[in-house]
């Protein structure tokens, strides 16, 4: 742990929200649109891999998008091979980030406990665990009694089975984004907030730069990491992304004594919640009635549904006070898998979007492969061709089933 190093402590005390702007030039090798976890992580990865001629442009402040509204959950238990690989590679990175970035990231690996209530969910769980194990993950298919041992406050009425993976957990999205940004900047990248990209220039099948609220900037590569606004950015050069924004609500309770190690999650109800290192219970619940929109207002309906479901699952939480509720946008694709890599017909416009509610946890690997694509012209760590946007031309995509939303 690096909490005790004086360097880390200085950064810790500076905290999120104190990021000062750098000047920007009028030409860069890489311009990244979006100062969320994706954009800042990519700036850092490019710089540590030798390309620091990078500019991140953020229209508001770092973490203003989904990153700053995120539950911080990190799960490797997925139903598709690419997501398991992306998440496993990301966890390996998260485990070394505190040391590498010299910044506390509040990584807690209390595991994810996934509850199944129906025969169909149970069947899928067995299949998922078999896939995950074949890829080297130590996830386990367990009984309701085993689940109770992992989380003794859990009401297991109606639970058919569960799955558990100890190395899953949570981390702090604000601190990680800040840590990436500070380190990227120390390596020579420029990160500028309060500047919006208004247009993207395209000449002969290559992007050549962006128009911003502070003038034109030339670039050899432009990366679309604009979160729920990515579809809008892609449309500037005639690229159609199928991603749609959906509100997702979340809340935090008062602080209580440590009583919950794992993140508890259930796909049929769409609920997830865990206890942070500080002691709050933080979680959300998907809403099947939610329509696509840019609405990020909190609702009473969410508060009622979430409170009822938490109280059912953990009766001792019934009287917990809710301190705050908020909402953010999921950037959702038709198969609930991210859009990565170049787009057809344009060689230098990689996508890092369409995360469908899990972009924080797979962020490090998505960034790694995007940095490889930019520096080497191809990915090395992992083949991401199945995640290119052209997959949507074919209607037989593999859908990620293990999602809340
Ligand atoms: C309530 C909620 C809970 C979540 N929980 C989890 C979780 O537990 N685990 C997990 O893995 N994921 C979770 N997610 C999803 C996760 O937050 C996102 O997938 C991830 O943060 C995406 O990061 P990003 O950097 O790609 O996008 P964002 O964080 O959205 O960043 C995009 C940035 O681009 C900026 N931008 C947009 N347009 C422009 C422009 N024209 N010019 C300049 N800047 C622009 C925006 O202001 C924004 O800051 C959750 C999301 C929500 C809403």
């Amino acid at each position: 742990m690096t909490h005790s190093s004086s360097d880390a402590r200085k950064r810790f005390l500076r905290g999120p929200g104190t990021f000062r702007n750098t000047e920007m030039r009028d030409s860069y090798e890489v311009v990244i649109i979006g100062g969320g976890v994706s954009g800042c992580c990519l700036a850092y990865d490019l710089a540590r891999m030798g390309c620091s001629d990078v500019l991140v442009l953020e229209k508001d402040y770092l973490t203003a998008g989904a990153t700053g509204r995120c539950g911080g959950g990190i799960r490797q238990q997925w139903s598709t091979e690419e997501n398991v690989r992306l998440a496993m590679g990301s966890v390996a990175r998260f485990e070394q980030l505190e040391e590498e970035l010299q910044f506390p990231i509040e990584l807690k690996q209390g595991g994810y406990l996934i509850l199944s209530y129906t025969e169909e969910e149970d069947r899928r769980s067995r299949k998922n665990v078999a896939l995950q194990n074949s890829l080297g993950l130590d996830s386990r298919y367990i009984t309701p009694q085993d689940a109770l041992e992992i989380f003794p406050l859990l009401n297991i009425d109606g639970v058919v089975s569960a799955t558990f993976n100890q190395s899953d957990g949570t981390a702090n999205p604000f601190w990680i984004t800040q840590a990436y940004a500070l380190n990227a900047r120390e390596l020579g990248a420029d990160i500028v907030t309060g500047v919006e990209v208004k247009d993207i220039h395209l000449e002969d099948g290559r992007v050549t730069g962006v128009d911003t609220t502070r003038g034109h900037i030339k670039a050899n590569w432009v990366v679309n990491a604009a979160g729920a606004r990515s579809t809008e950015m892609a449309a500037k050069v005639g690229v159609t992304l199928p991603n749609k924004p959906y509100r997702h609500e979340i809340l935090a309770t008062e602080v209580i004594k440590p009583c919950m190690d794992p993140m508890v999650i259930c796909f049929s109800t769409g609920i997830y919640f865990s206890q942070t290192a500080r002691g709050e219970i933080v979680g959300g619940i998907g809403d099947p009635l939610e329509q696509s929109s840019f609405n990020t207002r909190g609702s009473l309906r969410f508060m009622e549904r979430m409170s009822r479901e938490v109280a059912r699952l953990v009766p001792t939480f019934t009287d917990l006070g809710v301190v705050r509720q908020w909402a953010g946008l999921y950037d959702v694709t038709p198969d609930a898998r991210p859009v990565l890599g170049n787009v057809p017909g344009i060689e230098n416009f990689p996508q890092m979007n369409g995360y469908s509610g899990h972009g924080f946890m797979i962020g490090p690997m998505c960034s790694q492969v995007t940095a490889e694509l930019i520096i080497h012209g191809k990915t090395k760590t992992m083949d991401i061709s199945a995640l290119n946007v052209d997959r949507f031309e074919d209607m037989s995509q593999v859908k990620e089933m293990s999602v809340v939303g």
Side-chain angles (χ1 to χ4, degrees):
M1 301 286 274
T2 55
H3 289 272
S4 59
S5 101
S6 61
D7 203 22
R9 193 170 294 150
K10 263 190 261 156
R11 290 162 193 236
F12 184 89
L13 290 173
R14 243 186 288 158
T18 56
F19 199 85
R20 286 186 303 277
N21 267 343
T22 41
E23 290 303 311
M24 61 181 192
R25 304 189 303 272
D26 61 6
S27 174
Y28 287 85
E29 178 65 16
V30 185
V31 167
I32 302 168
I33 309 172
V37 70
S38 300
C40 294
C41 182
L42 179 64
Y44 169 70
D45 281 340
L46 283 167
R48 83 178 157 83
M49 288 162 72
C51 172
S52 57
D53 188 6
V54 175
L55 170 67
V56 177
L57 288 173
E58 166 54 51
K59 69 182 170 68
D60 295 318
Y61 53 91
L62 299 185
T63 69
T67 301
R69 294 142 195 271
C70 164
I74 299 171
R75 157 164 70 95
Q76 299 155 92
Q77 299 177 73
W78 291 96
S79 74
T80 56
E81 179 173 337
E82 289 79 14
N83 273 352
V84 178
R85 287 190 194 282
L86 287 171
M88 285 178 71
S90 294
V91 167
R93 290 288 292 143
F94 281 123
E95 285 171 347
Q96 66 190 48
L97 274 192
E98 195 154 291
E99 190 66 38
E100 183 176 324
L101 302 180
Q102 287 286 291
F103 204 102
I105 64 161
E106 292 183 349
L107 178 65
K108 171 186 166 189
Q109 289 175 295
Y112 256 65
L113 180 61
I114 304 179
L115 307 176
S116 294
Y117 283 92
T118 65
E119 292 306 319
E120 172 61 14
E121 277 184 291
D122 176 67
R123 192 188 56 73
R124 271 198 206 142
S125 293
R126 286 177 194 267
K127 200 171 152 209
N128 290 348
V129 167
L131 169 78
Q132 293 151 11
N133 292 168
S134 75
L135 297 171
L137 188 70
D138 271 343
S139 54
R140 289 186 287 135
Y141 174 85
I142 58 174
T143 64
Q145 199 55 42
D146 296 332
L148 195 58
E149 275 166 36
I150 291 165
F151 181 33
L153 299 181
L154 184 68
N155 169 16
I156 54 170
D157 285 356
V159 175
V160 173
S161 64
T163 69
F164 183 68
N165 180 54
Q166 185 68 64
S167 59
D168 292 347
T170 52
N172 185 323
F174 295 98
W175 295 83
I176 288 187
T177 307
Q178 177 88 355
Y180 279 135
L182 285 168
N183 279 270
R185 187 180 275 180
E186 276 170 16
L187 293 173
D190 286 342
I191 298 185
V192 179
T193 57
V195 177
E196 183 171 355
V197 173
K198 303 298 271 183
D199 206 356
I200 304 174
H201 288 226
L202 182 69
E203 278 171 33
D204 302 326
R206 289 188 68 81
V207 292
T208 56
V210 293
D211 286 342
T212 76
T213 43
R214 291 224 326 241
H216 182 71
I217 297 164
K218 285 191 212 148
N220 280 333
W221 292 82
V222 174
V223 181
N224 187 2
R229 297 283 171 183
S230 294
T231 304
E232 233 167 85
M233 288 295 103
K236 304 279 184 201
V237 287
V239 171
T240 305
L241 295 180
N243 315 6
K244 286 192 178 154
Y246 281 87
R247 174 175 66 172
H248 191 86
E249 298 187 64
I250 182 167
L251 59 74
T253 71
E254 62 188 306
V255 169
I256 52 172
K257 276 194 297 191
C259 61
M260 186 178 184
D261 284 333
M263 173 83 83
V264 170
I265 170 170
C266 171
F267 300 127
S268 57
T269 55
I271 195 166
Y272 65 94
F273 60 104
S274 70
Q275 187 168 29
T276 65
R278 291 172 304 280
E280 309 108 328
I281 305 298
V282 172
I285 188 166
D287 189 337
L289 298 185
E290 192 70 39
Q291 301 293 313
S292 175
S293 79
F294 285 99
N295 177 13
T296 52
R297 269 173 301 173
S299 73
L300 186 58
R301 174 180 158 82
F302 161 73
M303 182 62 79
E304 285 174 344
R305 294 179 68 241
M306 181 70 188
S307 311
R308 203 170 289 134
E309 190 55 14
V310 170
R312 187 184 71 77
L313 285 168
V314 189
T316 50
F317 287 177
T318 303
D319 293 327
L320 270 187
V322 173
V323 173
R324 195 160 83 88
Q325 79 176 92
W326 66 97
L329 297 172
Y330 277 15
D331 182 35
V332 178
T333 61
D335 62 3
R337 302 197 297 162
V339 178
L340 298 175
N342 271 323
V343 295
I346 308 179
E347 285 165 21
N348 55 347
F349 184 46
Q351 306 301 301
M352 291 179 84
N353 51 60
Y355 289 118
S356 307
H358 42 274
F360 172 65
M361 63 182 85
I362 58 173
M365 267 294 276
C366 293
S367 168
Q368 170 77 28
V369 291
T370 307
E372 289 167 0
L373 181 68
I374 292 171
I375 289 174
H376 306 294
K378 60 176 187 208
T379 64
K380 292 189 163 183
T381 310
M382 184 180 150
D383 176 14
I384 52 160
S385 50
L387 300 173
N388 293 166
V389 70
D390 57 6
R391 72 183 186 270
F392 298 109
E393 287 164 14
D394 164 12
M395 295 312 285
S396 63
Q397 310 118 27
V398 180
K399 195 166 164 47
E400 173 56 64
M401 302 303 288
S402 300
V403 288
V404 294

